[in-house]
C-alpha cells in the first residue's frame, strides 16, 4: 500500500512493521474472503459497481431489506470517515510540505486540510457515477504505486553504493552514482527474479485494467452533477 511508509515512520518500533503488515493482511483476508465469496455466489453478475445498490431479487420482506441496507450504509459511512483520516494523511503531509505549513498543530493546518476535503467533495459531486473513473485510477496509478514502482525503486536503491546512499539521504549531491560492485551488497538472484515478476505482472494487469476502464468510460453516459 502506498501509505505504508508513513505508517512505519510513525511507529515506535519501525522494525516490527513487517509483522504488523502480515497480521493485518491475515485479518483482512479472514474477514473479506468469506464475505466476498458468499456475495459472489448469491448475486453473481448482478453485482453493480456500487455494492450498496445491489439488492437481491428474492427478498420477501421489503421493509427488512430496507432496514438492513440502511444499517450497512451507516456502517460503511463510519468506516469511510475513519479510514479517510488515515489514508489522506500522507497526501496532506506532502502538500503541506510544499505549502510550508508547520508540522505542529496550528490553524494553518486546519484550514489547509479543510480546503483539501472541500476539493475532494467537489470532485465527488462533479462525477456522480464514479465507478468508471475509480476503475481508471485503480488500473493506472494504483498499479504503479502498489506494484511497479516499489519493486523498481527497490532494485534501483540496492544497486547504489552505501556511501552514495548516505550522501543522497543527507541532501548532498552525488555527481556520479556508482553501482554496487561488492557481491555482499548485491541482491540474491531469487529476489531480483521475484521483483521483476512483480513488475511484469503489474504492468500487464495495469494495461489490461486501464484499457477496460477507458472502454467503459467511452461507452458510459455521465449524468450532470447536482449543482447544475
Amino acid at each position: 500500500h502506498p501509505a505504508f511508509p508513513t505508517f512505519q515512520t510513525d511507529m515506535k518500533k519501525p522494525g516490527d512493521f513487517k509483522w504488523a503488515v502480515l497480521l493485518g493482511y491475515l485479518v483482512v483476508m479472514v474477514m473479506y474472503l468469506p464475505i466476498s465469496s458468499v456475495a459472489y455466489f448469491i448475486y453473481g453478475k448482478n453485482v453493480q459497481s456500487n455494492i450498496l445498490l445491489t439488492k437481491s431479487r428474492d427478498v420477501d420482506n421489503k421493509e427488512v431489506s430496507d432496514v438492513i441496507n440502511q444499517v450497512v450504509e451507516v456502517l460503511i459511512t463510519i468506516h469511510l470517515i475513519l479510514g479517510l483520516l488515515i489514508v489522506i494523511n500522507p497526501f496532506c503531509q506532502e502538500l503541506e510540505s510544499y505549502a510550508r505549513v508547520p508540522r505542529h498543530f496550528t490553524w494553518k493546518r486546519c484550514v489547509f486540510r479543510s480546503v483539501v476535503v472541500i476539493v475532494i467533495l467537489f470532485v465527488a459531486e462533479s462525477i456522480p457515477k464514479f465507478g468508471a473513473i475509480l476503475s481508471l485510477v485503480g488500473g493506472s496509478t494504483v498499479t504503479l504505486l502498489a506494484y511497479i514502482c516499489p519493486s523498481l525503486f527497490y532494485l534501483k536503491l540496492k544497486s547504489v553504493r552505501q556511501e552514495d546512499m548516505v550522501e543522497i539521504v543527507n541532501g548532498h549531491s552525488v555527481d556520479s552514482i556508482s553501482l554496487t560492485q561488492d557481491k555482499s551488497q548485491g541482491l540474491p538472484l531469487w529476489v531480483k527474479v521475484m521483483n521483476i515478476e512483480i513488475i511484469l505482472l503489474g504492468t500487464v494487469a495495469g494495461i489490461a485494467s486501464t484499457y477496460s476502464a477507458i472502454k467503459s468510460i467511452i461507452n458510459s453516459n455521465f449524468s450532470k452533477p447536482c449543482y447544475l
Side-chain angles (χ1 to χ4, degrees), residues 32-53:
Y32 279 23
L33 191 59
I35 297 175
S36 59
S37 301
V38 171
Y40 172 77
F41 287 111
I42 292 177
Y43 296 106
K45 59 183 179 181
N46 295 325
V47 176
Q48 302 184 28
S49 58
N50 185 353
I51 191 65
L52 299 178
L53 300 178

Side-chain angles (χ1 to χ4, degrees), residues 116 133 168 177 221:
V116 172
I133 303 297
I168 296 173
I177 299 179
N221 295 322

Side-chain angles (χ1 to χ4, degrees), residues 75-92:
L75 294 177
I76 288 292
T77 302
I78 295 175
H79 163 70
L80 292 177
I81 292 175
L82 298 178
L84 180 65
L85 298 176
I86 299 175
V87 176
I88 202 176
N89 186 55
F91 175 70
C92 289

Side-chain angles (χ1 to χ4, degrees), residues 93-109:
Q93 287 181 338
E94 186 71 18
L95 293 181
E96 288 169 358
S97 63
Y98 289 110
R100 298 184 179 181
V101 177
R103 291 182 176 272
H104 59 274
F105 182 79
T106 176
W107 66 269
K108 293 182 180 180
R109 171 169 285 190

